[in-house]
Amino acid sequence: MAVPTHSDREKVVSKLPAGLQQDLKIRAAQHGIDIQHAVEAGITAWRGLGSNLSPIDTARAKSFSTWLPPGQWDGFRNDCTARGVSLVQGLSQAVHVWLDKNPSPGVQRPVIVKRVIVCNQKGGVGKTAVTAGTGEALAEDPDQLHPVRISKHFAAALTEEEDSPLDYEDLPGLGLNVLLVDFDPQSHLTKQLGHQPLPIEGDSLTKHMAGEAKGELRDLIVPVEDERFGDRLHLLPACTDAFLLDVKLSGVRAREAALERALAPIEDEYDAILVDCPPSLGLSMDAAAYYGRRRADEEPGNSGVLVVVQAEDSSADAYGLLTTQIEDLRGDMGLELDYLGIVVNHYDARRGYIATSSLNAWMDIKDPRVVGVIGDLKEQKEAVRVKRPLLAYAPRCDQSVGLRALAREIS
């Protein structure tokens, strides 16, 4: 049945098997086109075939509608009659033809491993939650759709009334191979993802950085298990010996490069490495920042520093100290060290003027710019309590959709 009108197209109502509907939705999103244009192309291709295709099981077909150019549906109906197939069978075959002609484009992988240094010398701003959530979003299944907040609208909506609408879009997962590095001796990232810190008498990242390694670093890495991440999300757990890292680094040759030397052997196994830094401005932060520098032939913005703050005054003071250290490193060592942006975390407009005015102040900073605003909601705390990844525990909560938008901003 064709029902006018949608600009220069007409609405078509029919049926299509649920599996084909889902495959069509995902594949169209992967190719960045509207479903209506995919169906239009499929019908055109089907009508051009010289022979009938094998029948498709349509016994459980469900209602399906889209918009097609005027006259295409009537012509398609006539062709179905001439070929002796039902309209639902013909439409199913047309969609199948389009899927065959437009295979999944595959994951877009960076040429040089993306290195994201998540930092702020102030504790309690949520660096760990942002590290974990961003890594989870980068690793999600590319053959499934996930709700993503449309980032160009979030700032205006969050600074208006509490019930302001936010725009969302279902997009395929990014499907990257991701390593989360717990660089904080407090081990919050390790524990939140359901793992135990490495024993102090054994091997650790600290020992690899200090030249005291007992084995291969990859042997310390553990998977973050959930079907939405496949085998794409891994964790390098922390060890409490990291409390001694600054002391150990003081006697290490080229100490700024110590983290890079430790991680270099496993870099080829990952598309992105995210480092959850401790609240420190010491030598360990120097090593982390150096690791995030732009390498030869690396595109600007592929790697760099992601600064997590809160919408309150003490975060602004800590931000000033951190950026001073980064600028000193840039100048003293001649580093090309990019800012990937600022993430305003734990935001809650209900806290009134302090929160909203602070958010506006962060928004006013144009270099680096705000690339994410993550709400202060219960789902993150619940995920921590049950030791599960947030995007697995509450994949459709506002924090999850915001973290997906953040991952796309920096990917």
Side-chain angles (χ1 to χ4, degrees), residues 26-223:
I26 293 170
R27 194 70 55 79
Q30 289 175 334
H31 285 276
I33 67 172
D34 293 331
I35 289 176
Q36 60 184 351
H37 294 115
V39 175
E40 176 188 348
I43 289 176
T44 298
W46 182 87
R47 295 177 71 185
L49 295 176
S51 61
N52 283 350
L53 299 177
S54 300
I56 292 174
D57 183 3
T58 61
R60 295 177 180 81
K62 296 184 177 181
S63 178
F64 173 78
S65 65
T66 190
W67 300 87
L68 296 176
Q72 187 184 49
W73 189 247
D74 290 337
F76 178 61
R77 181 190 288 111
N78 293 336
D79 284 354
C80 288
T81 301
R83 296 187 184 191
V85 299
S86 70
L87 199 58
V88 174
Q89 178 66 218
L91 179 60
S92 299
Q93 291 183 12
V95 169
H96 198 273
V97 167
W98 184 84
L99 290 170
D100 281 347
K101 288 181 174 291
N102 295 271
S104 176
V107 174
Q108 299 298 309
R109 303 191 185 279
V111 176
I112 297 175
V113 61
K114 173 182 287 293
R115 302 167 319 283
V116 181
I117 312 304
V118 185
C119 56
N120 191 331
Q121 67 93 24
K122 183 180 185 300
V125 297
K127 296 185 294 293
T128 297
V130 169
T131 303
T134 305
E136 292 161 26
L138 289 170
E140 277 189 311
D141 190 344
D143 293 320
Q144 296 293 328
L145 297 180
H146 313 276
V148 181
R149 190 162 65 204
I150 300 175
S151 58
K152 66 182 180 181
H153 300 301
F154 77 81
L158 285 169
T159 52
E160 293 171 358
E161 295 298 323
E162 182 183 336
D163 59 355
S164 296
L166 289 167
D167 291 332
Y168 299 90
E169 184 176 0
D170 285 334
L171 295 174
L174 295 172
L176 299 183
N177 294 316
V178 177
L179 175 65
L180 303 174
V181 177
D182 194 345
F183 200 44
D184 187 341
Q186 298 174 89
S187 308
H188 292 316
L189 179 61
T190 300
K191 296 172 184 175
Q192 286 182 20
L193 293 175
H195 290 275
Q196 292 298 315
L198 297 169
I200 196 166
E201 67 276 7
D203 207 2
S204 68
L205 177 59
T206 296
K207 291 182 175 67
H208 279 261
M209 292 177 65
E212 303 168 356
K214 298 182 177 182
E216 297 291 329
L217 188 71
R218 62 173 46 84
D219 294 338
L220 306 177
I221 295 172
V222 293

Side-chain angles (χ1 to χ4, degrees), residues 3 12 28 36 41-42 54-55 104 145 182 193 256 268 366 370 374:
V3 182
V12 169
Q36 60 184 351
S54 300
S104 176
L145 297 180
D182 194 345
L193 293 175
E256 291 84 3
D268 288 346
K366 303 305 181 186
V370 171
I374 309 300

Side-chain angles (χ1 to χ4, degrees), residues 171-366:
L171 295 174
L174 295 172
L176 299 183
N177 294 316
V178 177
L179 175 65
L180 303 174
V181 177
D182 194 345
F183 200 44
D184 187 341
Q186 298 174 89
S187 308
H188 292 316
L189 179 61
T190 300
K191 296 172 184 175
Q192 286 182 20
L193 293 175
H195 290 275
Q196 292 298 315
L198 297 169
I200 196 166
E201 67 276 7
D203 207 2
S204 68
L205 177 59
T206 296
K207 291 182 175 67
H208 279 261
M209 292 177 65
E212 303 168 356
K214 298 182 177 182
E216 297 291 329
L217 188 71
R218 62 173 46 84
D219 294 338
L220 306 177
I221 295 172
V222 293
V224 179
E225 296 180 345
D226 189 274
E227 62 181 10
R228 71 176 46 244
F229 310 126
D231 189 33
R232 294 179 297 274
L233 184 62
H234 294 166
L235 168 72
L236 177 55
C239 178
T240 53
D241 66 358
F243 280 116
L244 304 173
L245 182 57
D246 279 8
V247 174
K248 288 180 175 292
L249 286 179
S250 63
V252 171
R253 175 186 58 81
R255 59 197 182 201
E256 291 84 3
L259 180 59
E260 182 162 311
R261 288 196 297 270
L263 295 177
I266 51 92
E267 281 190 352
D268 288 346
E269 301 171 28
Y270 296 97
D271 302 308
I273 297 177
L274 284 75
V275 180
D276 182 26
C277 293
S280 167
L281 292 177
L283 297 179
S284 56
M285 185 60 218
D286 284 350
Y290 183 87
Y291 184 58
R293 80 195 187 286
R294 194 190 316 164
R295 296 176 179 175
D297 300 323
E298 186 172 12
E299 291 292 326
N302 182 66
S303 299
V305 172
L306 186 66
V307 185
V308 182
V309 300
Q310 287 181 297
E312 42 85 28
D313 293 340
S314 62
S315 270
D317 297 335
Y319 172 78
L321 292 172
L322 175 64
T323 54
T324 296
Q325 180 178 9
I326 290 173
E327 293 308 314
D328 287 346
L329 277 171
R330 277 173 156 177
D332 294 346
M333 303 189 67
L335 302 183
E336 291 185 297
L337 180 56
D338 296 330
Y339 287 100
L340 298 179
I342 297 170
V343 180
V344 182
N345 195 34
H346 295 162
Y347 180 73
D348 188 348
R350 295 172 299 180
R351 293 179 181 142
Y353 174 74
I354 293 296
T356 57
S357 62
S358 294
L359 177 59
N360 283 324
W362 290 118
M363 293 292 183
D364 287 340
I365 300 175
K366 303 305 181 186

